[in-house]
Amino acid sequence: MAVVLTTVVSGILLGLMYGLTGMGLTFTMGFGKTMNVAQGTLIILGAFFALTFFNAWHLNVIVLVILVMVLFGVLAGLLNLSLLRFLRDKSEIITLLVLFGVAEVIENVTSWIWTGNLQAMTIPTLQNSIQWGSLSLPKTDLVSAAIAVVATGVLYLFLQYTYLGKAIRASAQSDLYARILGVNTSQIRAIIFLIGLVLAGIAGVTVALLFPFAPQDQDQWLVMAFIVVVVGGIDNILSTLLAGLVIGVAQALAGLVVPFQDQNLILYAFLAIALLFRNNQLARRMRSL
Amino acid sequence: MIGSSAPISDAATNNTRSSLVMDKITAGYHADQWVLNGVSLRAEPERVTVVLGPNGAGKSTVLKVLYGLVAPHAGSVRVGDQDITRLPPEARLALGLAYLPQGHSVFPSLTVQENLEMGLWIYRHDRARREEALERCFAEYPVLKDLRAKLAGSLSGGQQRLLEVARLMLPNPTVLLIDEPSVGVAPNLVDILYEHIVRWRNQGKTVLLVDQNVEAAVSIADYVYTLESGRNRLDGPRDEFEGRLREVVGQWLRLDVLP
Amino acid sequence: MKSRMLMMVLVTAAVVLVSWLLNSGIVSLFVPIAMYLAMAQGWNLLGGYGGYLNLGMASFFGLGAFGAAIAAVNWNQSLPVALLVGAVVAILGGLVMGLLSLRLRGAFFAIFTFVSVFVLEAIANTVGITHGALGITLPTFSSLSYNTLTKIWFDAFIVLGLLATVVVWLVERSRWGSSLVAIKEDEPAAEVLGIRTMRVKLLAFLFAALVGGLAGGLYAYQQQFIYPSTIFTDTVTLQVVLMAVAGGGGSWLGPVIGTPLVMGISALMRLIVGSVVVFGNGIPAQLELIIYGLMLVAVGMFLPNGLVGLVKRWRGRSATPAATSERLEARGA
Ligand SMILES: Nc1ncnc2c1ncn2[C@@H]1O[C@H](COP(=O)(O)OP(=O)(O)OP(=O)(O)O)[C@@H](O)[C@H]1O
Ligand SMILES: [Mg+2]
């Protein structure tokens, strides 16, 4: 029983972080109507940024997160100014094509700078666990789960209660009607892209906290983000977080019976089932975009 | 009526005399397939100007060009003595234009209050003005105050139309571009809409109305234009016009089935 | 029509013949061009004509490669049977993927196909039948010299590539082709016109699977060693999409121009960068992929209709000066 409880709790903690990895994808898809295929690569880039800053200056996690957010904001600004700005009137396919190119460039530049080797960020103050009754919770898991919850919460409050957030929701429903009311929807798209990138950066910090990583791991994280999106849908970021949680718990529980090396397969089975069940719903949603 | 006493800072009322002029506009959605071929028209303050024409004549496109949603290929658009041909919609809003598109333009999953707030987006940096405008709006449409926390999508069709109209008037526009306000609306509400339009006219606003509901539109019109295949056909003050109108509309009726 | 076919056969025969006259070192340079020509044509039907951005060519390639390798090694089958098994596996994979994703338009389809590559890689790394991350070593043809083999592989790939080109050429002139174009332009309208869009798209997707699977099987034999990480990789997709789009997706000529062009430019760039020694320890291995990535960005930004599209536009201009298919800023749609 205690084993199950520990498993479920660590599944929840990990699952919240999974939800965060899918957040950027959900957000850009649901509100900006482009799916950023560079998401996995950007997550890994965020992890490398965190690692590099930590090794250089031994910053604490909050500062790391903020620093990575700023850098990703700058990166989004650059990409927007140099590329995406010119693609707004073109078809979505062309935007995707360009983002695919960008993803490849970033992945290979990352592996050029930081090599293709597996690396890990070890923050000494977070290496132990917190004991809570019979539960033993690693600090890294707690911190990354907290980051996920805070990031989602802030984003949710932003969308719900700020003027800009309302404009983002309005534009997502109808670009034309928002423009009629004077919203510069081209700027709104740029902001959505920026938020999506910043979310990928934050997710990258949590990846660095929890796992060893290498540039070519981007695919795993893209797959994870995609599973989260398929399970959680693209309409609501809270359900994205919840989807991550469900996946985390399911994976943890499956881990009790399935050998470690086969755990990924559980994840893909999850994806296939979710796609089967959600196909109609997603197709309808895509139509209304 | 014309001499407004409103404060200068009020962009929406600073130019009550603004007439809206469309001059020899050629425009369309694809190059070489012009939907409008040199259309000219003029809407004066304190007048309801009505544009009539069969389906696909380009009436909606006229409004889109006037509002900056479709960039014209040639010709110009002026409000007062200012050329606005190349201005984006947000700049036109700031000059006192407002546009009610065809169909339902509320944001269904935003609340009524949020929908109204979006109508004040151009004043997003001016909280005092927003609050004042909202207060005025709720005073005028108390129903909306009661519904403010509801999702707009959960409202009845009539309530949604009311919300659209309230949202349209929030920034206190002087030039109103209205596209088919009576489509898909219950008859009693249609009457209210036309009453609104007349009231706006009497307040000195410039109203440009596109409508398929010919009789009702003409009954409140001061000046009428007809459009066919993207070209001006007839125009004139309503009184002069009524006789010929019947003949022209009769032709369209044989061409299309009007509602 | 008949004369065109005859010409195609003659061209193929000529290319094959020339390959036997040339030095095998030169021919070996053209092996990847021939392979990617086939894959780019395979991609072209759905991706180019149909406007569905398929980022999963590597999945078909990998399914074909592992299907063939498993048939050859685990089940001791001969080369033709192994290739057939690879193609069937790829088509079955395509069927499952297509049914799951082809109703999801646009971005969702693209990312689904992209993700499929990684899912398949992870599966291939895990399950026993593929020998996991150790990969599979295929039987050798020890009776044949390296030179002869090089030419055989080139011929096999180029025949596949030209066959795929012929198919695309035929489809372009068929109802299937115009249905695909209609789907690209306006899918709901195409549906209203009575086009059975799902079937049209699925068949085009399966054509990609077939060609990708055959290319993968041949590649497995040619390389002799295959690993999940080098086969199921987005770099394969990247090259296919780049070559097709740079030449001109939605035209049979596109991949024919794009494949050698992209490979040529990439080789040239490596030469140039290599001769300017700015990088302390020589040219990084990632450079080629960075170049491809940048090329894709450039093509998307400046040449979204490829070279073929560019030429078409020039011709259109000179015929009727004002005729361009570019959309106005019709922002009121
Ligand atoms: N977004 C668009 N893209 C392409 N063509 C369009 C678009 N909107 C309208 N058109 C075409 O432009 C022409 C004029 O359309 P418009 O909507 O201006 O006509 P209308 O007079 O308002 O007709 P209705 O009475 O049906 O509203 C029509 O042939 C229409 O098909
Ligand atoms: Mg209309």
Side-chain angles (χ1 to χ4, degrees):
Chain A
M1 201 53 225
V3 177
V4 175
L5 184 67
T6 309
T7 311
V8 169
V9 172
S10 63
I12 289 174
L13 294 181
L14 201 57
L16 290 169
M17 179 269 182
Y18 288 167
L20 178 62
T21 62
M23 201 65 67
L25 207 54
T26 313
F27 187 74
T28 45
M29 183 75 229
F31 292 93
K33 293 162 199 187
T34 35
M35 245 189 179
N36 192 349
V37 289
Q39 201 70 15
T41 293
L42 289 164
I43 289 174
I44 292 294
L45 183 66
F48 275 110
F49 279 174
L51 173 75
T52 307
F53 294 133
F54 179 77
N55 287 348
W57 300 312
H58 296 277
L59 304 170
N60 82 27
V61 177
I62 296 170
V63 181
L64 277 182
V65 169
I66 292 170
L67 204 56
V68 169
M69 284 173 72
V70 170
L71 281 174
F72 270 67
V74 172
L75 181 65
L78 291 177
L79 284 174
N80 197 34
L81 284 179
S82 59
L83 305 174
L84 297 171
R85 192 159 60 102
F86 303 102
L87 295 172
R88 290 245 152 78
D89 297 329
K90 305 251 173 67
S91 84
E92 162 192 50
I93 295 300
I94 295 175
T95 309
L96 272 169
L97 207 63
V98 170
L99 285 174
F100 181 34
V102 169
E104 293 296 330
V105 172
I106 294 179
E107 181 183 350
N108 287 290
V109 169
T110 306
S111 108
W112 184 10
I113 296 176
W114 284 285
T115 77
N117 301 331
L118 212 56
Q119 305 188 37
M121 177 171 85
T122 317
I123 300 184
T125 52
L126 296 180
Q127 289 318 300
N128 52 349
S129 298
I130 288 179
Q131 290 298 329
W132 192 50
S134 64
L135 285 174
S136 164
L137 307 170
K139 276 187 182 168
T140 47
D141 290 27
L142 285 168
V143 169
S144 64
I147 292 173
V149 171
V150 171
T152 312
V154 169
L155 182 61
Y156 180 78
L157 294 176
F158 165 76
L159 284 174
Q160 216 56 31
Y161 297 111
T162 66
Y163 223 133
L164 186 55
K166 288 169 195 170
I168 288 175
R169 282 188 288 139
S171 318
Q173 280 177 43
S174 169
D175 192 82
L176 173 64
Y177 296 153
R179 212 165 52 218
I180 285 171
L181 298 177
V183 178
N184 182 339
T185 50
S186 179
Q187 258 171 31
I188 296 281
R189 296 253 184 107
I191 292 168
I192 290 169
F193 181 74
L194 182 142
I195 294 174
L197 239 66
V198 169
L199 286 168
I202 302 173
V205 180
T206 63
V207 167
L209 272 174
L210 293 177
F211 305 97
F213 54 95
Q216 54 277 22
D217 287 353
Q218 65 97 357
D219 44 13
Q220 289 172 27
W221 291 107
L222 183 69
V223 173
M224 178 57 81
F226 184 68
I227 297 174
V228 169
V229 170
V230 171
V231 174
I234 53 175
D235 290 316
N236 185 339
I237 57 165
L238 295 183
S239 47
T240 305
L241 197 64
L242 190 67
L245 200 142
V246 169
I247 293 165
V249 172
Q251 192 195 30
L253 286 176
L256 292 177
V257 285
V258 177
F260 176 73
Q261 68 271 19
D262 293 343
Q263 280 188 19
N264 269 347
L265 299 183
I266 303 287
L267 223 50
Y268 304 145
F270 219 100
L271 173 62
I273 294 167
L275 263 177
L276 267 178
F277 277 100
R278 295 190 65 98
N279 206 282
N280 286 330
Q281 203 179 343
L282 287 167
R284 223 175 310 126
R285 185 66 174 73
M286 296 302 295
R287 247 158 244 246
S288 69
L289 284 184
Chain B
M1 179 53 58
I2 281 171
S4 166
S5 59
I8 306 282
S9 67
D10 192 345
T13 43
N14 68 355
N15 194 354
T16 319
R17 265 155 303 175
S18 43
S19 54
L20 179 69
V21 181
M22 172 177 240
D23 194 13
K24 299 198 199 75
I25 285 285
T26 301
Y29 299 91
H30 304 281
D32 273 4
Q33 296 173 12
W34 305 128
V35 171
L36 303 179
N37 284 294
V39 173
S40 299
L41 50 82
R42 182 179 189 98
E44 298 286 357
E46 225 187 323
R47 296 280 179 272
V48 173
T49 307
V50 170
V51 180
L52 303 174
N55 281 316
K59 307 180 296 291
S60 297
T61 309
V62 163
L63 296 189
K64 288 182 200 163
V65 169
L66 288 171
Y67 199 63
L69 294 168
V70 171
H73 170 70
S76 67
V77 177
R78 292 191 302 277
V79 57
D81 44 17
Q82 190 176 357
D83 188 314
I84 60 167
T85 317
R86 298 286 153 201
L87 292 185
E90 55 262 38
R92 295 183 203 223
L93 255 175
L95 286 172
L97 270 74
Y99 168 52
L100 186 65
Q102 207 169 344
H104 297 289
S105 66
V106 299
F107 302 110
S109 67
L110 266 59
T111 63
V112 167
Q113 167 104 23
E114 286 169 341
N115 265 282
L116 291 171
E117 284 170 7
M118 287 315 297
L120 290 165
W121 175 254
I122 54 163
Y123 297 127
R124 61 192 171 284
H125 303 304
D126 188 347
R127 174 183 280 266
R129 168 177 219 141
R130 283 195 331 255
E131 276 167 4
E132 187 234 281
L134 270 178
E135 223 161 86
R136 232 187 316 121
C137 167
F138 284 141
E140 190 164 351
Y141 306 99
V143 201
L144 293 180
K145 187 164 192 172
D146 300 333
L147 295 170
R148 65 207 284 183
K150 288 219 156 153
L151 292 185
S154 70
L155 268 48
S156 72
Q159 288 168 333
Q160 291 194 15
R161 200 82 263 221
L162 194 70
L163 174 57
E164 283 182 86
V165 169
R167 193 176 67 183
L168 177 79
M169 299 311 288
L170 269 174
N172 196 13
T174 51
V175 180
L176 295 165
L177 310 171
I178 302 174
D179 200 351
E180 311 267 9
S182 51
V183 168
V185 176
N188 59 334
L189 194 69
V190 172
D191 294 341
I192 298 177
L193 279 171
Y194 286 118
E195 275 166 31
H196 270 88
I197 292 174
V198 170
R199 193 160 46 149
W200 295 333
R201 188 242 336 251
N202 295 339
Q203 286 166 359
K205 299 189 192 300
T206 307
V207 181
L208 186 63
L209 173 65
V210 165
D211 213 323
Q212 298 249 349
N213 194 346
V214 176
E215 301 254 326
V218 171
S219 75
I220 61 164
D222 296 293
Y223 201 91
V224 181
Y225 287 89
T226 71
L227 223 60
E228 273 176 41
S229 321
R231 289 175 208 278
N232 286 83
R233 173 78 195 271
L234 298 171
D235 68 87
R238 179 192 49 179
D239 309 335
E240 262 177 45
F241 202 78
E242 262 179 327
R244 297 201 58 194
L245 189 67
R246 226 163 274 288
E247 174 197 328
V248 173
V249 175
Q251 275 182 8
W252 300 338
L253 274 170
R254 252 163 276 128
L255 291 173
D256 327 74
V257 184
L258 292 187
Chain C
M1 184 84 188
K2 275 229 174 86
S3 67
R4 294 255 184 177
M5 297 305 265
L6 189 68
M7 208 172 95
M8 234 26 230
V9 173
L10 286 177
V11 167
T12 310
V15 172
V16 169
L17 191 71
V18 167
S19 75
W20 289 94
L21 300 175
L22 288 172
N23 173 308
S24 67
I26 292 175
V27 174
S28 73
L29 293 177
F30 286 87
V31 173
I33 295 184
M35 182 178 93
Y36 276 107
L37 169 64
M39 299 239 280
Q41 290 293 22
W43 181 88
N44 203 1
L45 277 193
L46 186 63
Y49 293 87
Y52 266 66
L53 186 58
N54 169 7
L55 297 182
M57 272 318 274
S59 290
F60 300 145
F61 184 71
L63 287 172
F66 274 96
I70 289 165
V73 175
N74 299 21
W75 306 331
N76 285 318
Q77 296 299 324
S78 65
L79 185 145
V81 178
L83 286 181
L84 194 69
V85 170
V88 169
V89 170
I91 285 180
L92 289 178
L95 201 61
V96 172
M97 282 162 60
L99 290 174
L100 277 178
S101 69
L102 275 169
R103 295 177 51 208
L104 306 174
R105 213 164 279 173
F108 224 99
F109 172 77
I111 203 149
F112 172 88
T113 47
F114 194 49
V115 161
S116 73
V117 179
F118 307 133
V119 171
L120 288 172
E121 179 194 354
I123 292 175
N125 265 325
T126 312
V127 297
I129 192 170
T130 57
H131 307 199
L134 296 175
I136 304 182
T137 306
L138 281 95
T140 52
F141 300 90
S142 45
S143 57
L144 298 171
S145 73
Y146 168 79
N147 290 350
T148 317
L149 273 174
T150 302
K151 290 172 182 182
I152 289 176
W153 294 129
F154 171 78
D155 292 344
F157 280 124
I158 201 70
V159 168
L160 180 64
L162 293 176
L163 266 178
T165 305
V166 170
V167 172
V168 171
W169 187 86
L170 288 172
V171 171
E172 190 177 300
R173 283 152 186 76
S174 73
R175 266 192 52 193
W176 183 16
S178 41
S179 299
L180 280 166
V181 174
I183 287 171
K184 177 186 194 164
E185 268 159 17
D186 189 342
E187 187 160 351
E191 244 158 61
V192 171
L193 288 175
I195 294 172
R196 294 168 72 174
T197 53
M198 188 65 193
R199 204 171 64 171
V200 168
K201 291 184 291 185
L202 188 60
L203 279 175
F205 196 53
L206 293 183
F207 176 69
L210 171 68
V211 177
L214 286 172
L218 285 170
Y219 182 78
Y221 270 101
Q222 186 223 346
Q223 292 290 308
Q224 277 190 32
F225 310 102
I226 57 168
Y227 310 94
S229 62
T230 56
I231 297 285
F232 288 110
T233 162
D234 48 327
T235 55
V236 170
T237 306
L238 172 67
Q239 293 179 64
V240 172
V241 173
L242 172 60
M243 290 168 197
V245 178
S251 152
W252 67 273
L253 202 54
V256 176
I257 300 173
T259 309
L261 186 81
V262 168
M263 292 240 162
I265 292 179
S266 148
L268 204 69
M269 302 260 288
R270 263 173 300 159
L271 264 178
I272 294 170
V273 179
S275 64
V276 186
V277 187
V278 272
F279 308 103
N281 354 331
I283 312 169
Q286 292 84 358
L287 186 66
E288 179 162 18
L289 292 173
I290 293 175
I291 290 173
Y292 284 142
L294 289 174
M295 279 168 82
L296 188 59
V297 171
V299 166
M301 295 294 295
F302 305 114
L303 259 190
N305 297 314
L307 285 174
V308 173
L310 190 69
V311 171
K312 262 191 198 150
R313 220 170 67 185
W314 277 342
R315 286 216 189 127
R317 282 248 170 89
S318 52
T320 44
T324 65
S325 59
E326 278 171 283
R327 284 174 67 118
L328 276 185
E329 238 191 308
R331 304 188 304 179

